[in-house]
Amino acid sequence: MRRLLVFNNITLDGYFTDANNDMSWAHKNADEEWIKFTSENASEGGVLLFGRKTYDLMVSFWPTKQAYEMMPTVAEGMNNLPKVVFSRTMEKATWNNTRLVKDNMVEEVRRMKSEPGDNMVIMGSGTIVSQLTQEHLIDEYQFVVHPLALGSGRTLFEGVKDQLPLKRINSRAFGNGNVLLSYLPD
């Protein structure tokens, strides 16, 4: 059975995007150690899951020449890994190896989890994180906490009705101030 992980950058005040849905702050304090970590992480494989807003942000950057120049290994992984975008409004997904799912997201994720294959990872996509959290479908949460406060924005758990107790299973501090925290639902 496949596992479903969340991997997201968040700020000290708990936001994954600013008030304008911008996540560019998450890529501003890269150093050699951080670049190595992100490259290794992108090489692990899996299936990437996105909502429409995150998909639009990702497809506007990762297939570009700039992305390949800045982070070639990450760009290679992002462009070649299988991707699923959940959207009721999109007509088609044009990014390489992307499948569009328009309806029944929860049922589709349950079906995908029951199949053999690589793990699935949600990046960004706060609405999807909160919906799948509420359905108890997420197996692990990985947060990179950045040493930054935005003051306002969106949290990953907007709309979650029940408390979500978590058990920390790993942590790693980076020289650039980022801290990776990994949790399992408790």
Side-chain angles (χ1 to χ4, degrees):
M1 186 162 131
R2 292 170 146 174
R3 295 181 70 234
L4 178 59
L5 293 79
V6 169
F7 181 88
N8 265 309
N9 294 285
I10 61 172
T11 61
L12 284 173
D13 50 354
Y15 299 112
F16 78 100
T17 70
D18 70 11
N20 298 314
N21 288 318
D22 180 38
M23 300 181 337
S24 63
W25 51 265
H27 306 289
K28 292 194 174 171
N29 60 346
D31 61 8
E32 187 175 317
E33 177 189 26
W34 182 250
I35 291 168
K36 181 179 180 202
F37 168 75
T38 56
S39 295
E40 289 170 356
N41 209 25
S43 300
E44 289 182 8
V47 178
L48 303 176
L49 307 182
F50 301 115
R52 185 200 47 82
K53 289 179 186 175
T54 302
Y55 172 85
D56 288 345
L57 288 170
M58 297 288 192
V59 75
S60 72
F61 178 69
W62 289 112
T64 67
K65 180 180 177 184
Q66 180 185 11
Y68 277 96
E69 289 172 354
M70 290 174 59
M71 296 175 271
T73 306
V74 177
E76 186 76 20
M78 294 297 290
N79 288 305
N80 291 322
L81 287 172
K83 295 169 276 296
V84 176
V85 59
F86 298 100
S87 173
R88 293 183 190 111
T89 59
M90 287 177 66
E91 291 304 316
K92 72 180 208 178
T94 58
W95 195 5
N96 185 42
N97 295 328
T98 301
R99 181 170 62 94
L100 173 62
V101 175
K102 294 181 73 74
D103 296 307
N104 302 318
M105 176 189 65
V106 171
E107 290 82 8
E108 178 64 13
V109 170
R110 277 193 179 105
R111 185 191 66 74
M112 291 170 64
K113 282 186 70 166
S114 71
E115 297 175 341
D118 293 330
N119 287 335
M120 300 175 294
V121 180
I122 304 170
M123 298 168 63
S125 307
T127 302
I128 289 174
V129 171
S130 64
Q131 290 174 5
L132 296 178
T133 293
Q134 192 65 37
E135 295 292 329
H136 307 284
L137 289 172
I138 297 176
D139 299 299
E140 184 175 336
Y141 297 87
Q142 298 176 351
F143 302 115
V144 177
V145 181
H146 291 254
L148 168 72
L150 293 174
S152 66
R154 293 183 56 212
T155 74
L156 290 168
F157 299 106
E158 292 170 4
V160 172
K161 296 175 186 139
D162 304 321
Q163 287 187 2
L164 177 65
L166 299 170
K167 176 184 175 186
R168 184 179 56 82
I169 57 168
N170 192 21
S171 63
R172 177 179 173 184
F174 294 87
N176 64 0
N178 293 349
V179 178
L180 172 66
L181 300 169
S182 300
Y183 296 94
L184 297 177
D186 194 17

